[in-house]
Amino acid sequence: NEIHPFEDETGIEFFARKNDSSLFAVGMHSKKRPHNLILGRTFNYQILDMIEMGVERCTTMQEHKSQACSVGMKPLMVFNGEAFNRDENLVRLKSILLDLFRGEVADKVSLKGLEYIITVTAGPPGPNGETGLVFFRTYTTSLKKSGLRQPRVELEEMGPSLDLRIRRVRLPTEDMWKLAVQVPKELKVVKVKNISRDGLGDKYGRVHLGKQEINKIQTRKVRALKKNLDGGKSGKRQKMDVDTE
Amino acid sequence: MDVSGILEEHKNKFKPIQVDRLIPTEFDLGLLACFDMNMLDDNRLRASQQSRDRYLKELSREGAQQMINELFGLPTTVDEDSVYATLPKTTTVLPREKPIPKEKPPTRWEKFAKIKGIQKRKSTGKVFDEDQGEWRRKYGYKGVNNDDQKPWLIEVPGKADQYQDQYQVRRDEKKARIEKNTRRNQRNVEENVAVEKGMKPHEMRKRELQKALVLSKQSTASLGKFDTKLKGEPKTKGLKRKFDPLVGSADSEKSKNMDILNRVAKGESKATVINVRKAQRAVNNAKRAAASKSK
C-alpha cells in the first residue's frame, strides 16, 4: 500500500474519509528520503496541510527505562525559540503538533493529572538561513514541595525523543484555510458596547438622546407666557364693555 | 526575636520555583501550551549529544515550572477529592475538522410556532399511569401508548356499530397516526430540498409530476394519444411516433435486418445470462425424447 502524500493525495484522503479522521501520520524510508515522517491534517476529507521531516536521531520509550505516564493524559506543551514565530515552516509545525497532541478538548484539568510534558525546541538555523533541527523531547513531571502554593517541577526523560529535520512543507490554500478557520456566528465573542464599570463595581452606561429641538417641545400651556397676550386681553375687554353698556 | 533567620533556613530547604525570563513567555492555557521566545544558547545546542540533552532538559524544566506556576494560579473547583483548575479559552487559532454545518430551514411547525410565539417546553418524558400506579414512558419500551399494555376492557362509544372490533379500531388509529407522522416528515424533507434549490415546494412538485406524465406517455406504444387526459393537463409537445417509410431502398432494409440478426446471434452482453441448469435440462430432455423415439 504505497502512499506518497506529497505526490498523490488520494490515498490519504481515502483513508481519512473511511476512518473519519482528520489527523494523519505517515512513516516511510527510501534512499532519497531516509527515515521520513509526514504529519498532516485534513479539512472536509481533503488534505489541508502537511509537513515532511527526517528523523535524524530517535530514542524510544523502552530505551529511556523510566516510568511511563498513564494513557490518555493531556500533555503540557512547551515551544522554545523565537523561530516558532518567525519561520513559516516552524509556525506550521507548531500548529500541527498542537493539534496532534491536544487530546480531548477540556475546560477543566485536574492539577494532579499533569503528568507529562512535550518540549519542542528550535535548533540554530543552517548557514544559508535554512530551518535548523527541531528537538522533540518528552518528560514525565514530578511535583515536589516548594514551601509555597506552586510546586517545584522535576523532570525525567520518558518518552520518544526525536531530532527532526524539516524537508518539505505543504501549506494550505488560502480559501481552504479561511473556511477551516471560520467561527460560526454563535461562538463569536460579542463585544458589549457602552457599558463600563467604575471602581466600586457600579455599572455605567451612556444614554444618547440625540439633538433636542427646544422650540418644538410640547409642554403644558401657561396663559401668562402666550405671545399675543396684550392684544388678546384688550380685545376681550372691549367686547365686555360693549355688552354692559 | 529574629525570625528572618528561621525563614531563610526554611526557604533554603526547598528548591526555587521562580523562573526569570527576559521576554515573558506567552501562555495558551486552554491548550496547556506555552511559547518561549527567548534567545536560546546555540553553542550548547550545537555541542555534543549529551550536553545538548542536558541543556534541553534544563530548558524544559523551566518551561514546565512556568506553566505549573500559571496553572496553579487559575481558579479551581473541588470535585470528588481532586482539585480541578478551570482553563481559559484557547487563543491560538486551530483549524476545524469539517466545515460549519449549514442552517436547516425551519419546518412548517417551527414557522408557525415562531409566528404564534410558542416556546418549546421540556417535558420529563414520563407520564403517571393511574392503572399501574407508576411512572411510565410516554412512548417506547413499556410506554403508555403501547398495545402490549392494552386495556382489558374498552367501552363501545355511543355512535359506533356494536359489532365493530374496538381493539382493531385502536390499532388502526395508531397506524393512521404513524402514517400521518411519516407523511409530514417526508413533506418537511421535500420542502427543505426545494428551498435549498431555490424553488417553492409547490413548483417542485408540479415539475416532478409533469416529468412523470411525459415519461409515462413515452412508455406507451401509441405515445399517450389515446390515454384519458387529466383536467388541465398541458398538451405535450414533440412526442411523435416514428415509422419507417413503406417503400425504401432494399439495401437499407437488408442492412437493418442483418444488424438485428447479428445482435441476436452474438448475444448482447447484457442478455448473455444463461441459466446453465435449465439449458442442460433442456438438452437432456431433447436427448431422452430422441432416444425414446428411436426405440
Side-chain angles (χ1 to χ4, degrees):
Chain A
N1 229 347
E2 284 215 26
I3 302 176
H4 297 283
F6 276 88
E7 274 93 54
D8 180 22
E9 351 176 293
T10 50
I12 294 285
E13 291 184 355
F14 171 75
F15 280 119
R17 202 179 283 271
K18 280 286 166 176
N19 294 314
D20 193 19
S21 70
S22 57
L23 291 163
F24 67 88
V26 182
M28 52 197 175
H29 179 79
S30 71
K31 216 166 153 199
K32 189 173 177 192
R33 287 179 231 278
H35 309 298
N36 214 17
L37 176 68
I38 301 177
L39 295 175
R41 340 172 241 226
T42 62
F43 172 73
N44 201 13
Y45 307 123
Q46 292 173 323
I47 293 185
L48 180 65
D49 55 1
M50 52 188 168
I51 190 162
E52 179 183 60
M53 300 169 283
V55 184
E56 306 218 334
R57 223 197 96 224
C58 166
T59 33
T60 59
M61 278 174 83
Q62 286 99 323
E63 288 176 40
H64 282 288
K65 291 188 203 133
S66 86
Q67 207 184 37
C69 70
S70 10
V71 186
M73 289 283 156
K74 275 175 80 103
L76 298 175
M77 301 212 59
V78 179
F79 288 84
N80 287 316
E82 56 177 10
F84 280 111
N85 262 11
R86 301 277 180 82
D87 189 340
E88 66 171 6
N89 292 342
L90 291 181
V91 171
R92 212 27 65 182
L93 180 66
K94 181 171 83 177
S95 180
I96 292 182
L97 287 177
L98 279 173
D99 238 340
L100 195 66
F101 291 106
R102 188 176 186 183
E104 248 182 62
V105 179
D107 53 351
K108 281 195 281 188
V109 72
S110 165
L111 291 175
K112 281 189 232 165
L114 303 165
E115 284 182 26
Y116 81 112
I117 162 174
I118 296 178
T119 321
V120 190
T121 318
N128 301 330
E130 336 152 331
T131 318
L133 280 176
V134 174
F135 305 109
F136 179 96
R137 301 280 181 274
T138 322
Y139 307 93
T140 37
T141 59
S142 44
L143 306 175
K144 305 251 161 77
K145 278 197 202 164
S146 71
L148 298 159
R149 187 168 178 226
Q150 296 96 332
R152 160 99 183 167
V153 175
E154 292 297 341
L155 301 177
E156 206 186 314
E157 188 143 13
M158 153 189 98
S161 67
L162 314 160
D163 289 357
L164 305 162
R165 185 171 297 280
I166 299 190
R167 288 188 185 143
R168 288 186 288 185
V169 176
R170 157 90 93 82
L171 299 169
T173 49
E174 270 270 355
D175 27 311
M176 212 195 243
W177 182 252
K178 261 198 188 156
L179 274 176
V181 159
Q182 249 177 1
V183 181
K185 264 196 283 186
E186 288 82 5
L187 289 178
K188 278 201 188 143
V189 183
V190 180
K191 267 199 228 169
V192 182
K193 291 184 183 175
N194 195 19
I195 295 179
S196 59
R197 287 181 182 273
D198 75 353
L200 296 169
D202 293 330
K203 220 172 177 181
Y204 282 92
R206 278 197 104 143
V207 179
H208 296 264
L209 283 173
K211 192 172 181 187
Q212 294 184 307
E213 300 203 27
I214 303 172
N215 301 340
K216 296 190 183 159
I217 294 179
Q218 179 87 299
T219 50
R220 286 185 71 196
K221 289 183 183 153
V222 180
R223 195 145 176 267
L225 297 171
K226 251 186 170 179
K227 272 196 178 156
N228 35 338
L229 195 57
D230 294 334
K233 245 187 186 171
S234 46
K236 270 201 173 160
R237 276 260 172 86
Q238 269 185 351
K239 248 195 180 172
M240 281 179 74
D241 285 342
V242 168
D243 278 344
T244 49
E245 256 181 330
Chain B
M1 232 194 110
D2 191 8
V3 201
S4 54
I6 302 171
L7 281 174
E8 277 258 4
E9 227 188 274
H10 181 84
K11 226 186 188 179
N12 290 338
K13 256 200 222 169
F14 302 108
K15 289 207 180 134
I17 59 158
Q18 284 293 98
V19 177
D20 294 315
R21 281 276 189 268
L22 226 63
I23 307 169
T25 336
E26 287 167 14
F27 294 95
D28 185 353
L29 294 173
L31 286 177
L32 292 178
C34 83
F35 313 107
D36 190 348
M37 298 299 146
N38 287 288
M39 296 277 285
L40 300 168
D41 191 347
D42 286 348
N43 293 326
R44 290 188 72 178
L45 286 175
R46 276 192 250 260
S48 74
Q49 213 183 74
Q50 277 205 356
S51 75
R52 189 207 289 150
D53 283 344
R54 239 177 292 141
Y55 177 49
L56 289 174
K57 194 167 181 183
E58 269 174 46
L59 273 179
S60 313
R61 197 216 72 80
E62 294 182 338
Q65 184 69 67
Q66 289 179 336
M67 282 252 272
I68 294 282
N69 290 349
E70 289 289 315
L71 286 168
F72 273 72
L74 289 175
T76 55
T77 56
V78 182
D79 181 35
E80 294 167 1
D81 299 330
S82 50
V83 189
Y84 288 92
T86 341
L87 299 174
K89 278 197 176 164
T90 58
T91 45
T92 19
V93 175
L94 288 174
R96 291 175 66 98
E97 215 184 312
K98 300 201 177 86
I100 301 170
K102 278 183 252 185
E103 254 201 58
K104 279 189 277 198
T107 57
R108 278 193 181 207
W109 167 254
E110 283 172 359
K111 280 190 220 157
F112 177 75
K114 207 173 175 186
I115 296 169
K116 284 268 176 165
I118 301 171
Q119 304 282 38
K120 246 191 184 178
R121 256 186 286 168
K122 209 168 184 191
S123 58
T124 47
K126 304 234 170 180
V127 180
F128 191 66
D129 188 13
E130 293 292 338
D131 300 338
Q132 299 206 341
E134 57 180 21
W135 289 90
R136 273 184 27 219
R137 291 178 208 198
K138 246 200 274 174
Y139 54 86
Y141 180 62
K142 286 189 190 155
V144 180
N145 69 350
N146 273 355
D147 262 335
D148 53 332
Q149 311 274 348
K150 65 177 162 203
W152 56 276
L153 181 99
I154 305 180
E155 288 178 6
V156 176
K159 295 190 186 165
D161 174 23
Q162 54 172 308
Y163 290 108
Q164 194 185 31
D165 181 3
Q166 291 302 321
Y167 288 102
Q168 188 61 41
V169 166
R170 260 171 63 93
R171 257 176 270 141
D172 291 341
E173 280 180 351
K174 184 170 182 190
K175 272 211 170 145
R177 270 182 271 136
I178 294 170
E179 213 198 283
K180 191 178 180 193
N181 195 22
T182 43
R183 249 191 300 127
R184 289 200 163 161
N185 277 337
Q186 183 65 23
R187 187 178 65 178
N188 276 333
V189 166
E190 283 169 8
E191 288 189 352
N192 278 0
V193 168
V195 165
E196 265 180 42
K197 289 201 175 168
M199 282 194 273
K200 285 197 285 188
H202 179 73
E203 265 290 318
M204 226 175 132
R205 245 179 281 139
K206 195 172 171 193
R207 276 205 206 175
E208 271 181 33
L209 282 173
Q210 281 171 344
K211 214 178 180 180
L213 260 180
V214 172
L215 281 177
S216 69
K217 284 198 177 169
Q218 266 182 326
S219 322
T220 39
S222 57
L223 294 178
K225 219 161 73 167
F226 305 109
D227 291 343
T228 42
K229 291 205 174 47
L230 292 169
K231 194 178 171 188
E233 191 185 309
K235 210 172 163 192
T236 36
K237 288 186 186 175
L239 274 185
K240 274 199 175 162
R241 193 160 171 196
K242 217 178 136 194
F243 292 101
D244 291 331
L246 281 173
V247 187
S249 71
D251 285 333
S252 66
E253 207 179 320
K254 184 183 174 189
S255 61
K256 267 195 207 149
N257 288 331
M258 289 305 285
D259 278 337
I260 295 172
L261 276 175
N262 284 336
R263 272 207 292 192
V264 170
K266 186 174 74 174
E268 288 266 306
S269 51
K270 277 188 204 165
T272 38
V273 177
I274 305 172
N275 193 333
V276 179
R277 196 171 43 86
K278 277 192 181 172
Q280 193 62 41
R281 205 196 296 159
V283 166
N284 288 345
N285 284 345
K287 278 191 188 163
R288 231 182 291 138
S292 62
K293 252 191 184 172
S294 65
K295 275 186 186 165

